[in-house]
Amino acid sequence: MASFSLSGRRIRRERATITAMIRIFCRKNHAGGKDLCEDCQALLDYAMCRLDRCVFGEQKPTCAQC
C-alpha cells in the first residue's frame, strides 16, 4: 500500500493556489482587507479539509478529473 505525503510539493502548490484565488475573490467581491470575510474563510477551511482528506495524496489528479 502506498503512503501519501500531504505536505508534498504538489499539495503545497494546490494549497497556495486555492488560498490566493479565495483571497483575490474576497478582496474584489466583499471589499475585504487583509483578512478574509467569514464566508470566504469558511470556504478556505473547507477546501483545506478536502485536500487533507484527498485519497490520492501527492498523486492526485486535478479535482475536475476526480
Side-chain angles (χ1 to χ4, degrees):
M1 176 182 257
S3 67
F4 299 109
S5 169
L6 293 179
S7 62
R9 192 173 124 224
R10 183 177 182 120
I11 296 296
R12 283 193 311 267
R13 185 179 68 218
E14 190 100 9
R15 287 181 187 284
T17 301
I18 291 168
T19 300
M21 291 172 60
I22 292 174
R23 286 192 184 284
I24 291 167
F25 177 86
C26 188
R27 191 172 348 141
K28 298 289 184 186
N29 293 285
H30 302 142
K34 186 177 179 180
D35 296 326
L36 295 174
C37 71
E38 186 177 317
D39 289 340
C40 289
Q41 184 61 56
L43 176 61
L44 181 60
D45 293 344
Y46 173 77
M48 294 300 128
C49 181
R50 295 295 296 180
L51 275 176
D52 288 343
R53 295 179 180 174
C54 179
V55 297
F56 296 106
E58 192 63 21
Q59 281 71 43
K60 73 181 269 350
T62 59
C63 293
Q65 295 175 354
C66 188

